[in-house]
Amino acid sequence: PDRTENWPGRLGTLLRDFAARRQKRDWGGARALARSARDTYPGTVLGAWLEGVVEFSQGHFAKGEEYLLEALSAVPRSHRVITNLGTVWSRQGGAAYAGDRLVELAERDRGFVYPLPFAALAYLEARDPSRAEAAIRRAFDLAPGSPVPYRQLAEFHMTLDRGGEAVATCDEGLERFPNDLDLLLKRARSNLLLGD
């Protein structure tokens, strides 16, 4: 609910109202809408996710985590919920703790490597670049038949202004996945980073 999106019908109205109440810090109104979402859309991620957002927005991180983990059990690969959990874990135990928990999420669901770049950023925030790179490289074990680990590692190298390593990673990935447009675009961006 942080971004303007084109959600359909009643769901769109509910999410826009929720975002407006959250922005105004109308926690009672936001909580009421979250409960309404739970009643209106039972068995979905929506109610628990919105309740988690209300709680962590007020600094109630343990309660926010509880609701977000409930939401994650409904939709284990929800990018939104995982991103929110990363924020909660960082506030609860610091950046390295968040990194550890995000890596755990990826390892519980082989093939789903979305949490790993966030783990790497958390480790960088904790001033632990070796663990950051290890988190990114973990994707090669968890999703060996996918170009995604190459994309993530190249992006990581670009984040650290290591254009040469980003180009090399893209080249490795393109040997295995020659038609991967994301890798081709990242290679072009890496070359720009190098001034080529």
Side-chain angles (χ1 to χ4, degrees), residues 51-125:
E51 286 183 293
V53 169
V54 169
E55 295 299 335
F56 85 71
S57 295
Q58 295 180 86
H60 307 149
F61 300 117
K63 194 67 176 170
E65 178 186 26
E66 182 182 319
Y67 283 126
L68 292 171
L69 288 173
E70 178 189 342
L72 195 63
S73 70
V75 184
R77 292 189 170 191
S78 170
H79 292 193
R80 293 170 185 281
V81 175
I82 290 168
T83 302
N84 293 147
L85 276 168
T87 301
V88 166
W89 289 330
S90 182
R91 300 272 173 81
Q92 282 180 314
Y97 174 75
D100 291 344
R101 296 294 304 270
L102 289 162
V103 169
E104 286 172 19
L105 279 182
E107 289 181 344
R108 279 198 325 236
D109 186 358
R110 289 187 71 82
F112 181 59
V113 296
Y114 174 81
L116 295 176
F118 295 103
L121 290 174
Y123 289 132
L124 286 176
E125 187 180 323

Side-chain angles (χ1 to χ4, degrees), residues 6-186:
N6 294 318
W7 292 86
R10 287 182 6 196
L11 178 59
T13 301
L14 183 141
L15 289 173
R16 284 188 292 279
D17 289 349
F18 179 86
R21 289 174 192 272
R22 184 177 174 214
Q23 187 173 15
K24 292 176 186 172
R25 299 182 175 275
D26 174 6
W27 303 122
R31 186 173 282 108
L33 286 171
R35 288 186 184 134
S36 170
R38 191 182 282 274
D39 294 339
T40 306
Y41 304 100
T44 70
V45 66
L46 199 58
W49 171 51
L50 294 179
E51 286 183 293
V53 169
V54 169
E55 295 299 335
F56 85 71
S57 295
Q58 295 180 86
H60 307 149
F61 300 117
K63 194 67 176 170
E65 178 186 26
E66 182 182 319
Y67 283 126
L68 292 171
L69 288 173
E70 178 189 342
L72 195 63
S73 70
V75 184
R77 292 189 170 191
S78 170
H79 292 193
R80 293 170 185 281
V81 175
I82 290 168
T83 302
N84 293 147
L85 276 168
T87 301
V88 166
W89 289 330
S90 182
R91 300 272 173 81
Q92 282 180 314
Y97 174 75
D100 291 344
R101 296 294 304 270
L102 289 162
V103 169
E104 286 172 19
L105 279 182
E107 289 181 344
R108 279 198 325 236
D109 186 358
R110 289 187 71 82
F112 181 59
V113 296
Y114 174 81
L116 295 176
F118 295 103
L121 290 174
Y123 289 132
L124 286 176
E125 187 180 323
R127 296 191 171 102
D128 196 341
S130 61
R131 285 178 79 192
E133 187 155 351
I136 286 290
R137 288 188 179 278
R138 188 74 183 103
F140 287 97
D141 296 327
L142 298 175
S146 170
V148 172
Y150 294 99
R151 294 177 198 156
Q152 290 181 344
L153 183 58
E155 191 69 38
F156 177 75
H157 289 315
M158 284 188 280
T159 299
L160 298 178
D161 290 327
R162 298 185 338 206
E165 290 175 69
V167 168
T169 298
C170 289
D171 287 344
E172 279 180 52
L174 287 166
E175 282 180 28
R176 290 196 59 207
F177 306 98
N179 298 318
D180 189 84
L181 293 179
D182 285 335
L183 280 173
L184 289 166
L185 287 170
K186 286 184 191 307

